[in-house]
PDB file of all heavy atoms in Angstrom:
ATOM      1  N   ALA B 360       9.555   7.149   7.969  1.00 91.00           N
ATOM      2  CA  ALA B 360      10.184   8.421   7.581  1.00 91.00           C
ATOM      3  C   ALA B 360      10.526   9.208   8.828  1.00 91.00           C
ATOM      4  O   ALA B 360       9.849  10.178   9.167  1.00 91.00           O
ATOM      5  CB  ALA B 360       9.253   9.214   6.671  1.00 91.00           C
ATOM      6  N   PRO B 361      11.575   8.827   9.567  1.00 90.00           N
ATOM      7  CA  PRO B 361      11.939   9.524  10.800  1.00 90.00           C
ATOM      8  C   PRO B 361      12.365  10.964  10.532  1.00 90.00           C
ATOM      9  O   PRO B 361      12.735  11.326   9.409  1.00 90.00           O
ATOM     10  CB  PRO B 361      13.099   8.687  11.360  1.00 90.00           C
ATOM     11  CG  PRO B 361      13.627   7.936  10.197  1.00 90.00           C
ATOM     12  CD  PRO B 361      12.482   7.696   9.289  1.00 90.00           C
ATOM     13  N   ASP B 362      12.312  11.775  11.571  1.00 85.00           N
ATOM     14  CA  ASP B 362      12.559  13.207  11.409  1.00 85.00           C
ATOM     15  C   ASP B 362      14.029  13.589  11.499  1.00 85.00           C
ATOM     16  O   ASP B 362      14.353  14.763  11.614  1.00 85.00           O
ATOM     17  CB  ASP B 362      11.763  14.000  12.446  1.00 85.00           C
ATOM     18  CG  ASP B 362      12.186  13.669  13.869  1.00 85.00           C
ATOM     19  OD1 ASP B 362      13.009  12.754  14.040  1.00 85.00           O
ATOM     20  OD2 ASP B 362      11.689  14.317  14.810  1.00 85.00           O
ATOM     21  N   ASP B 363      14.944  12.613  11.441  1.00 83.00           N
ATOM     22  CA  ASP B 363      16.365  12.938  11.485  1.00 83.00           C
ATOM     23  C   ASP B 363      16.968  13.049  10.097  1.00 83.00           C
ATOM     24  O   ASP B 363      18.168  13.244   9.952  1.00 83.00           O
ATOM     25  CB  ASP B 363      17.133  11.893  12.307  1.00 83.00           C
ATOM     26  CG  ASP B 363      16.931  10.481  11.767  1.00 83.00           C
ATOM     27  OD1 ASP B 363      16.441  10.348  10.625  1.00 83.00           O
ATOM     28  OD2 ASP B 363      17.269   9.533  12.478  1.00 83.00           O
ATOM     29  N   GLY B 364      16.149  12.918   9.060  1.00 78.00           N
ATOM     30  CA  GLY B 364      16.629  13.049   7.694  1.00 78.00           C
ATOM     31  C   GLY B 364      16.980  11.744   7.026  1.00 78.00           C
ATOM     32  O   GLY B 364      17.148  11.705   5.805  1.00 78.00           O
ATOM     33  N   SER B 365      17.098  10.647   7.779  1.00 77.00           N
ATOM     34  CA  SER B 365      17.485   9.369   7.181  1.00 77.00           C
ATOM     35  C   SER B 365      16.379   8.765   6.325  1.00 77.00           C
ATOM     36  O   SER B 365      16.640   7.929   5.480  1.00 77.00           O
ATOM     37  CB  SER B 365      17.885   8.372   8.271  1.00 77.00           C
ATOM     38  OG  SER B 365      16.772   8.057   9.089  1.00 77.00           O
ATOM     39  N   ALA B 367      14.260  10.533   4.318  1.00 85.00           N
ATOM     40  CA  ALA B 367      13.765  11.538   3.373  1.00 85.00           C
ATOM     41  C   ALA B 367      13.211  10.902   2.110  1.00 85.00           C
ATOM     42  O   ALA B 367      12.184  11.338   1.573  1.00 85.00           O
ATOM     43  CB  ALA B 367      14.885  12.517   3.023  1.00 85.00           C
ATOM     44  N   VAL B 370       9.445   9.641   2.347  1.00 92.00           N
ATOM     45  CA  VAL B 370       8.310  10.530   2.603  1.00 92.00           C
ATOM     46  C   VAL B 370       7.249  10.373   1.512  1.00 92.00           C
ATOM     47  O   VAL B 370       6.048  10.313   1.793  1.00 92.00           O
ATOM     48  CB  VAL B 370       8.778  11.991   2.706  1.00 92.00           C
ATOM     49  CG1 VAL B 370       7.586  12.933   2.788  1.00 92.00           C
ATOM     50  CG2 VAL B 370       9.662  12.171   3.938  1.00 92.00           C
ATOM     51  N   PHE B 397       2.331  16.188   9.878  1.00 91.00           N
ATOM     52  CA  PHE B 397       3.279  15.625  10.835  1.00 91.00           C
ATOM     53  C   PHE B 397       4.634  15.335  10.187  1.00 91.00           C
ATOM     54  O   PHE B 397       5.687  15.508  10.800  1.00 91.00           O
ATOM     55  CB  PHE B 397       2.673  14.358  11.432  1.00 91.00           C
ATOM     56  CG  PHE B 397       3.587  13.565  12.316  1.00 91.00           C
ATOM     57  CD1 PHE B 397       4.013  14.064  13.529  1.00 91.00           C
ATOM     58  CD2 PHE B 397       4.007  12.298  11.947  1.00 91.00           C
ATOM     59  CE1 PHE B 397       4.852  13.324  14.352  1.00 91.00           C
ATOM     60  CE2 PHE B 397       4.840  11.553  12.757  1.00 91.00           C
ATOM     61  CZ  PHE B 397       5.262  12.064  13.956  1.00 91.00           C
ATOM     62  N   ILE B 398       4.621  14.891   8.914  1.00 90.00           N
ATOM     63  CA  ILE B 398       5.870  14.566   8.218  1.00 90.00           C
ATOM     64  C   ILE B 398       6.324  15.710   7.316  1.00 90.00           C
ATOM     65  O   ILE B 398       7.250  15.539   6.523  1.00 90.00           O
ATOM     66  CB  ILE B 398       5.716  13.275   7.385  1.00 90.00           C
ATOM     67  CG1 ILE B 398       4.614  13.445   6.329  1.00 90.00           C
ATOM     68  CG2 ILE B 398       5.457  12.089   8.279  1.00 90.00           C
ATOM     69  CD1 ILE B 398       4.506  12.259   5.388  1.00 90.00           C
ATOM     70  N   GLY B 399       5.692  16.859   7.423  1.00 87.00           N
ATOM     71  CA  GLY B 399       6.084  17.996   6.603  1.00 87.00           C
ATOM     72  C   GLY B 399       7.536  18.388   6.835  1.00 87.00           C
ATOM     73  O   GLY B 399       7.997  18.498   7.968  1.00 87.00           O
ATOM     74  N   GLY B 400       8.287  18.558   5.756  1.00 82.00           N
ATOM     75  CA  GLY B 400       9.692  18.925   5.854  1.00 82.00           C
ATOM     76  C   GLY B 400      10.638  17.766   5.994  1.00 82.00           C
ATOM     77  O   GLY B 400      11.863  17.944   5.946  1.00 82.00           O
ATOM     78  N   ARG B 401      10.128  16.547   6.137  1.00 84.00           N
ATOM     79  CA  ARG B 401      11.018  15.399   6.323  1.00 84.00           C
ATOM     80  C   ARG B 401      11.573  14.871   4.993  1.00 84.00           C
ATOM     81  O   ARG B 401      12.392  13.950   4.999  1.00 84.00           O
ATOM     82  CB  ARG B 401      10.278  14.261   7.037  1.00 84.00           C
ATOM     83  CG  ARG B 401       9.859  14.610   8.444  1.00 84.00           C
ATOM     84  CD  ARG B 401       9.395  13.386   9.199  1.00 84.00           C
ATOM     85  NE  ARG B 401       8.959  13.726  10.545  1.00 84.00           N
ATOM     86  CZ  ARG B 401       8.664  12.830  11.485  1.00 84.00           C
ATOM     87  NH1 ARG B 401       8.743  11.545  11.215  1.00 84.00           N
ATOM     88  NH2 ARG B 401       8.273  13.224  12.684  1.00 84.00           N
ATOM     89  N   ASP B 402      11.095  15.407   3.876  1.00 77.00           N
ATOM     90  CA  ASP B 402      11.609  14.949   2.591  1.00 77.00           C
ATOM     91  C   ASP B 402      12.942  15.582   2.256  1.00 77.00           C
ATOM     92  O   ASP B 402      13.479  15.382   1.172  1.00 77.00           O
ATOM     93  CB  ASP B 402      10.605  15.235   1.466  1.00 77.00           C
ATOM     94  CG  ASP B 402      10.141  16.676   1.470  1.00 77.00           C
ATOM     95  OD1 ASP B 402      10.482  17.410   2.409  1.00 77.00           O
ATOM     96  OD2 ASP B 402       9.413  17.049   0.532  1.00 77.00           O
ATOM     97  N   SER B 403      13.495  16.338   3.183  1.00 70.00           N
ATOM     98  CA  SER B 403      14.822  16.919   3.019  1.00 70.00           C
ATOM     99  C   SER B 403      15.712  16.425   4.138  1.00 70.00           C
ATOM    100  O   SER B 403      15.293  16.345   5.292  1.00 70.00           O
ATOM    101  CB  SER B 403      14.757  18.457   3.056  1.00 70.00           C
ATOM    102  OG  SER B 403      16.052  19.010   3.076  1.00 70.00           O
ATOM    103  N   VAL B 404      16.949  16.076   3.787  1.00 55.00           N
ATOM    104  CA  VAL B 404      17.890  15.566   4.806  1.00 55.00           C
ATOM    105  C   VAL B 404      18.128  16.611   5.873  1.00 55.00           C
ATOM    106  O   VAL B 404      18.311  16.307   7.042  1.00 55.00           O
ATOM    107  CB  VAL B 404      19.218  15.159   4.138  1.00 55.00           C
ATOM    108  CG1 VAL B 404      20.247  14.768   5.187  1.00 55.00           C
ATOM    109  CG2 VAL B 404      18.982  14.026   3.163  1.00 55.00           C
ATOM    110  N   ASN B 405      18.099  17.884   5.469  1.00 51.00           N
ATOM    111  CA  ASN B 405      18.329  18.959   6.427  1.00 51.00           C
ATOM    112  C   ASN B 405      17.039  19.463   7.055  1.00 51.00           C
ATOM    113  O   ASN B 405      17.060  20.367   7.877  1.00 51.00           O
ATOM    114  CB  ASN B 405      19.031  20.131   5.737  1.00 51.00           C
ATOM    115  CG  ASN B 405      20.411  19.754   5.254  1.00 51.00           C
ATOM    116  OD1 ASN B 405      21.098  18.989   5.913  1.00 51.00           O
ATOM    117  ND2 ASN B 405      20.803  20.260   4.081  1.00 51.00           N
ATOM    118  N   GLY B 406      15.886  18.871   6.600  1.00 44.00           N
ATOM    119  CA  GLY B 406      14.607  19.339   7.123  1.00 44.00           C
ATOM    120  C   GLY B 406      14.228  18.646   8.394  1.00 44.00           C
ATOM    121  O   GLY B 406      13.285  17.876   8.448  1.00 44.00           O
ATOM    122  N   MET B 407      14.982  18.914   9.461  1.00 44.00           N
ATOM    123  CA  MET B 407      14.713  18.289  10.743  1.00 44.00           C
ATOM    124  C   MET B 407      13.457  18.869  11.352  1.00 44.00           C
ATOM    125  O   MET B 407      13.076  20.006  11.095  1.00 44.00           O
ATOM    126  CB  MET B 407      15.885  18.531  11.700  1.00 44.00           C
ATOM    127  CG  MET B 407      17.216  18.039  11.161  1.00 44.00           C
ATOM    128  SD  MET B 407      17.322  16.262  11.115  1.00 44.00           S
ATOM    129  CE  MET B 407      17.510  15.948  12.855  1.00 44.00           C
ATOM    130  N   ALA B 408      12.784  18.091  12.159  1.00 40.00           N
ATOM    131  CA  ALA B 408      11.562  18.552  12.814  1.00 40.00           C
ATOM    132  C   ALA B 408      11.884  19.665  13.784  1.00 40.00           C
ATOM    133  O   ALA B 408      12.940  19.703  14.398  1.00 40.00           O
ATOM    134  CB  ALA B 408      10.901  17.401  13.552  1.00 40.00           C
ATOM    135  N   SER B 409      10.932  20.593  13.933  1.00 40.00           N
ATOM    136  CA  SER B 409      11.158  21.753  14.787  1.00 40.00           C
ATOM    137  C   SER B 409      11.157  21.380  16.259  1.00 40.00           C
ATOM    138  O   SER B 409      11.975  21.853  17.033  1.00 40.00           O
ATOM    139  CB  SER B 409      10.081  22.803  14.506  1.00 40.00           C
ATOM    140  OG  SER B 409       8.789  22.252  14.734  1.00 40.00           O
ATOM    141  N   HIS B 414       5.245  17.287  17.297  1.00 45.00           N
ATOM    142  CA  HIS B 414       4.864  16.034  16.663  1.00 45.00           C
ATOM    143  C   HIS B 414       3.905  15.240  17.526  1.00 45.00           C
ATOM    144  O   HIS B 414       2.950  14.653  17.047  1.00 45.00           O
ATOM    145  CB  HIS B 414       6.117  15.177  16.386  1.00 45.00           C
ATOM    146  CG  HIS B 414       6.962  15.748  15.288  1.00 45.00           C
ATOM    147  ND1 HIS B 414       6.425  16.373  14.203  1.00 45.00           N
ATOM    148  CD2 HIS B 414       8.314  15.769  15.129  1.00 45.00           C
ATOM    149  CE1 HIS B 414       7.384  16.765  13.398  1.00 45.00           C
ATOM    150  NE2 HIS B 414       8.552  16.408  13.943  1.00 45.00           N
ATOM    151  N   PRO B 457      21.915  11.267  10.233  1.00 42.00           N
ATOM    152  CA  PRO B 457      21.614  11.871   8.949  1.00 42.00           C
ATOM    153  C   PRO B 457      22.711  11.684   7.926  1.00 42.00           C
ATOM    154  O   PRO B 457      22.448  11.685   6.732  1.00 42.00           O
ATOM    155  CB  PRO B 457      21.416  13.363   9.288  1.00 42.00           C
ATOM    156  CG  PRO B 457      21.089  13.377  10.747  1.00 42.00           C
ATOM    157  CD  PRO B 457      21.827  12.231  11.338  1.00 42.00           C
TER     158      PRO B 457
END
Side-chain angles (χ1 to χ4, degrees):
D362 63 354
D363 57 15
S365 65
V370 173
F397 173 67
I398 60 174
R401 295 192 181 189
D402 51 353
S403 172
V404 174
N405 296 324
M407 303 289 286
S409 58
H414 289 324

